Amino acid sequence: MNSETERFASAAIANAPFGFLIAGPDGAVLSQNRKSEEILGSLIGKNMGSIVSAFDVAGSCRDCLAGQKTIEVKEAAWNGKYLKFFFVPADGSACTVIVEDITEAKTVEKNREQFFMVASHDLRTPLAAIKASAELIMKAYSNDIQNENAKKLIANIDLASVRLIKIVSDFLEAPRLEAGRIAVTKERFDVAETIRKAVGDLAIIATNKGISLSYDAPRDPLPAVFADKEIVEQVIVNLIGNALKFTFQGGVTVSSAADDGMMRVRVTDTGVGIAEQDQQMLFGKFRQTDENFIGRGITQGSGLGLYISELLVGMIGGSVVLEKSDLGKGSTFVFAIPLAK
Amino acid sequence: MATIFMAEDDPLMVSIYSQIFKLDNFDFAMAADGQEAVEKLAAMPVKPDLAVLDVMMPRKDGFEVLKFMKADATLKNIPVIILTNLSSQEDLKKGLDLGADACLVKSQNSPEDIAAKAREVYGKYHSK
């Protein structure tokens, strides 16, 4: 490296978004950049091992230098933080230590685990009860039911519960879902058909509540979307389902329009609306660490479905947002789906 | 007729299990939380032949009920199945370490699977 390149390298290290230190074989710090000072405090002239007690710093330096290999410390809890370290051999007598503060990622991970624990219980239990009840009726009381249509309807309940349990199981594979590793099969399709089907399936709920549910379909055919059909169907059903749940007079209207490369499906209700302070929590990533809050608050409201919807929508390159909500007047959610090119 | 005692705080699931066990010709007794389980088990003149204990319950959890049973001379020989929501090895091991005959994760086992395990555990004890 010429002197100019060296100067650039030094500046880059000084301003790097990760902690960078140079330490001797016993862990004595010879140099450190700004970020490392932010994370660990000022360490120049001190032994890193005497400050960071979460693991054997001197041992890591020694192993790094003796083996001339990179030593990774994936996670060290220290001073209320979670840190990740790399010890990289610089030359025979000093090693470079790269440190990253992973506290936020750990918090998200912990909250995710809590969320899935709650979801696992709250969703699976009633589903298991539905399935077991339908199976018990078919197994033990089938002869008591004379009407063939009634038998078919019970079989439908069983089939639907199996399908729901499958969907829930897919959701609960949290790491795969959040890492975007679930199988997403994108195809071209007409979202109007999906909306009509969802409206048809959920019409019974509206009828039973004495409210309206309609699809304000455009006259001209809509351009095709390019997305995973099951995900789109699931999110639309969830949005309409939520709207119906919180609407007690008037009704729910679904509309669709294409603009700016996206198909926007609007679900508007004349329901109870969402208070401004609660709007912040709707799509929250469950950052709250109080388990009781999550258990009693979110899963009984609309947070769970919307959280899942947001995760799913992210996988198809779409978005779901609360466009507006007035307490006592109703809400409008917009689900944007990429159009086919 | 043999009796199965169940401690479970979800009335929906209690209703399901009572139907399943009654179809299997078991008598069915239940408690809606851990404290009630301890009180009922202690008061029963004829002790049950098998206990199924949910872990997550108000007042006392299933592990505490299990500990109570194992410390009571009249209850300690009753076979116990623990039902947990968590699939952590730690939780499953805790149940077995405390003397449960089986620990099942609810989300991985349907009520029918759990009833089958109950029949199996009861059968083992009954044939002894």
Side-chain angles (χ1 to χ4, degrees):
Chain A
M1 267 198 287
N2 62 36
S3 63
E4 192 180 29
T5 316
E6 271 177 24
R7 207 155 39 81
F8 288 155
S10 296
I13 289 168
N15 298 318
F18 48 83
F20 184 97
L21 308 96
I22 295 173
D26 56 350
V29 176
L30 308 170
S31 165
Q32 71 177 135
N33 74 347
R34 202 174 302 136
K35 188 69 183 178
S36 77
E37 202 171 327
E38 213 176 90
I39 299 170
L40 297 166
S42 177
L43 293 180
I44 292 177
K46 294 178 189 168
N47 192 301
M48 202 173 139
S50 65
I51 307 292
V52 181
S53 52
F55 65 99
D56 181 7
V57 172
S60 299
C61 288
R62 274 196 306 273
D63 291 350
C64 163
L65 291 175
Q68 285 294 297
K69 61 179 182 186
T70 299
I71 305 285
E72 183 183 1
V73 179
K74 284 186 176 163
E75 185 186 313
W78 175 75
N79 214 12
K81 295 175 186 167
Y82 288 96
L83 306 175
K84 183 176 185 176
F85 290 86
F86 287 99
F87 293 81
V88 185
D91 62 21
S93 59
C95 61
T96 303
V97 184
I98 295 165
V99 57
E100 193 184 344
D101 187 344
I102 55 166
T103 310
E104 193 173 338
K106 283 291 293 178
T107 307
V108 169
E109 188 185 323
K110 193 178 162 195
N111 291 340
R112 185 179 61 195
E113 281 167 11
Q114 275 184 332
F115 161 70
F116 282 104
M117 198 175 84
V118 173
S120 167
H121 184 257
D122 287 2
L123 293 176
R124 282 176 183 270
T125 305
L127 284 175
I130 293 167
K131 184 170 183 292
S133 298
E135 283 175 358
L136 269 176
I137 293 170
M138 291 194 294
K139 183 177 139 191
Y141 306 112
S142 184
N143 291 339
D144 297 337
I145 302 169
Q146 305 302 322
N147 189 311
E148 284 305 313
N149 285 332
K151 283 187 187 177
K152 277 184 197 162
L153 289 171
I154 292 162
N156 283 350
I157 294 171
D158 185 41
L159 285 173
S161 68
V162 170
R163 193 167 143 190
L164 267 174
I165 288 168
K166 168 74 174 66
I167 292 167
V168 170
S169 299
D170 287 348
F171 281 159
L172 295 180
E173 289 184 29
R176 288 181 59 219
L177 185 67
E178 292 210 327
R181 292 203 301 269
I182 69 160
V184 175
T185 314
K186 291 186 183 179
E187 59 184 306
R188 285 174 70 102
F189 64 95
D190 179 7
V191 78
E193 271 180 38
T194 312
I195 298 170
R196 277 193 198 96
K197 184 177 179 301
V199 167
D201 289 348
L202 297 171
I204 184 75
I205 299 174
T207 307
N208 286 344
K209 288 185 82 167
I211 58 176
S212 64
L213 170 60
S214 60
Y215 175 32
D216 188 7
R219 281 190 189 168
D220 298 327
L222 289 169
V225 296
F226 186 67
D228 184 302
K229 208 171 178 178
E230 277 187 33
I231 289 179
V232 169
E233 188 179 331
Q234 209 163 323
V235 173
I236 290 174
V237 165
N238 179 41
L239 290 177
I240 299 175
N242 272 351
L244 290 171
K245 191 171 167 187
F246 296 105
T247 301
F248 302 95
Q249 56 185 13
V252 176
T253 310
V254 186
S255 64
S256 52
D259 76 274
D260 207 15
M262 303 295 270
M263 174 68 65
R264 295 182 207 282
V265 178
R266 277 187 171 70
V267 178
T268 302
D269 68 61
T270 55
V272 295
I274 302 154
E276 210 174 324
Q277 69 270 21
D278 294 338
Q279 291 178 16
Q280 311 295 324
M281 295 188 340
L282 278 179
F283 296 97
K285 303 251 176 180
F286 294 83
R287 291 186 70 87
Q288 290 83 358
T289 51
D290 181 354
E291 191 179 321
N292 289 334
F293 175 84
I294 292 171
R296 290 177 196 157
I298 299 297
T299 57
Q300 284 170 17
S302 55
L304 180 60
L306 289 174
Y307 178 69
I308 288 168
S309 291
E310 197 181 42
L311 287 175
L312 289 170
V313 163
M315 286 173 194
I316 57 168
S319 67
V320 57
V321 294
L322 173 64
E323 188 172 63
K324 63 168 185 163
S325 187
D326 295 313
L327 205 55
K329 290 181 182 168
S331 311
T332 298
F333 283 88
V334 183
F335 172 24
I337 311 157
L339 291 175
K341 284 174 185 160
Chain B
M1 196 184 285
T3 300
I4 291 186
F5 180 88
M6 180 158 209
E8 160 71 64
D9 63 333
D10 187 337
L12 187 60
M13 296 318 292
V14 170
S15 162
I16 304 277
Y17 285 110
S18 84
Q19 295 263 359
I20 294 175
F21 288 131
K22 281 175 186 169
L23 285 169
D24 282 343
N25 290 318
F26 284 106
D27 266 342
F28 184 78
M30 57 79 60
D33 63 57
Q35 182 61 35
E36 189 183 322
V38 163
E39 287 165 13
K40 280 194 173 168
L41 283 165
M44 285 170 92
V46 179
K47 302 304 180 193
D49 299 276
L50 177 87
V52 181
L53 309 174
D54 187 18
V55 170
M56 275 174 75
M57 287 188 291
R59 300 209 283 173
K60 267 188 171 58
D61 69 23
F63 292 133
E64 287 177 87
V65 179
L66 177 57
K67 276 188 217 165
F68 171 82
M69 289 179 71
K70 293 301 170 189
D72 184 304
T74 63
L75 300 169
K76 69 178 183 186
N77 293 323
I78 297 171
V80 175
I81 294 174
I82 287 280
L83 304 181
T84 171
N85 292 313
L86 306 171
S87 56
S88 74
Q89 288 304 310
E90 211 173 294
D91 228 43
L92 297 174
K93 188 174 176 298
K94 186 176 177 183
L96 296 174
D97 287 348
L98 288 172
D101 295 80
C103 280
L104 299 178
V105 181
K106 288 205 281 189
S107 58
Q108 293 167 1
N109 292 276
S110 69
E112 191 46 60
D113 295 336
I114 291 165
K117 178 54 88 176
R119 286 192 288 270
E120 181 195 317
V121 172
Y122 170 77
K124 264 191 215 163
Y125 271 74
H126 197 61
S127 63
K128 276 180 187 171

